Amino acid sequence: MLTYRSKNRPVLKNCPLCGKLYADAGSGACQKCYNALRDYELEIKKYVEANPNCSARDIVKNTGAPLAIASRMIQNGQFAMSGKISYPCSKCGKLIHAGVYCSECQQAIQQATANANRLAQEHKLKKLADKKKAKEKSSGLNIIKILRGK
Ligand SMILES: [Zn+2]
Ligand SMILES: [Zn+2]
């Protein structure tokens, strides 16, 4: 006789979609939401197969699925025809065909990261310079003290 034993023991979690407590065995959502999500994904897949040049907005309009689910599926590359479907940039909403952000937002993010790094570097150098100055000052005072003491 075969007995089924799950390797992953279910963990009690709050469903990220409805907030209800559920026993998670790796599905990432409660049974109800998981089923709804899977239904949406099937609908979306069917729709995209029939309309390979559709946009994420078309998907939402025609399947009733939340935009977040459609976008996530496209971003994950879950469609064979990905690269043709347009969906909104996660930052500004401009329609894109690949990645998470449009090229401008991607550039802006890279620029912001570079700026932040440069500022951090400048801050570090300034701190070092201040330290050096403070040291020079105190050693100068010491010399005066020593001179006065003599
Ligand atoms: Zn749920
Ligand atoms: Zn953008």
Side-chain angles (χ1 to χ4, degrees), residues 28 65 84 138:
K84 277 187 183 171
S138 69

Side-chain angles (χ1 to χ4, degrees), residues 1 6 8 13 26 28 38 45 56 59-62 75 77 85 87 98 105 107 112 138 145-146 148:
M1 209 172 103
S6 171
N8 305 320
K13 278 186 190 171
R38 218 185 34 189
K45 265 197 176 125
I59 296 176
V60 172
K61 212 166 73 188
N62 289 284
Q75 280 164 9
I85 314 166
Y87 55 98
C105 287
Q107 227 169 17
S138 69
K145 263 189 204 162
I146 292 162
R148 278 188 185 155

Side-chain angles (χ1 to χ4, degrees), residues 25-92:
S27 61
C30 77
Q31 196 61 44
K32 207 178 126 220
C33 293
Y34 180 73
N35 284 343
L37 212 71
R38 218 185 34 189
D39 284 349
Y40 277 136
E41 289 191 350
L42 279 177
E43 281 292 307
I44 292 171
K45 265 197 176 125
K46 243 186 350 203
Y47 179 77
V48 172
E49 267 163 37
N51 307 276
N53 288 311
C54 65
S55 70
R57 286 190 207 287
D58 292 331
I59 296 176
V60 172
K61 212 166 73 188
N62 289 284
T63 64
L67 181 63
I69 295 178
S71 295
R72 201 193 56 194
M73 284 178 76
I74 302 164
Q75 280 164 9
N76 289 348
Q78 283 185 33
F79 302 116
M81 58 286 276
S82 63
K84 277 187 183 171
I85 314 166
S86 49
Y87 55 98
C89 159
S90 291
K91 203 157 180 279
C92 71

Side-chain angles (χ1 to χ4, degrees), residues 113-142:
T113 314
N115 278 345
N117 285 342
R118 191 173 48 79
L119 281 176
Q121 187 65 26
E122 274 173 11
H123 189 72
K124 214 166 124 189
L125 286 174
K126 194 176 171 291
K127 241 178 156 177
L128 270 176
D130 284 352
K131 234 183 186 172
K132 213 174 150 195
K133 246 188 237 161
K135 216 173 169 185
E136 274 167 8
K137 218 175 171 182
S138 69
S139 64
L141 283 174
N142 280 344

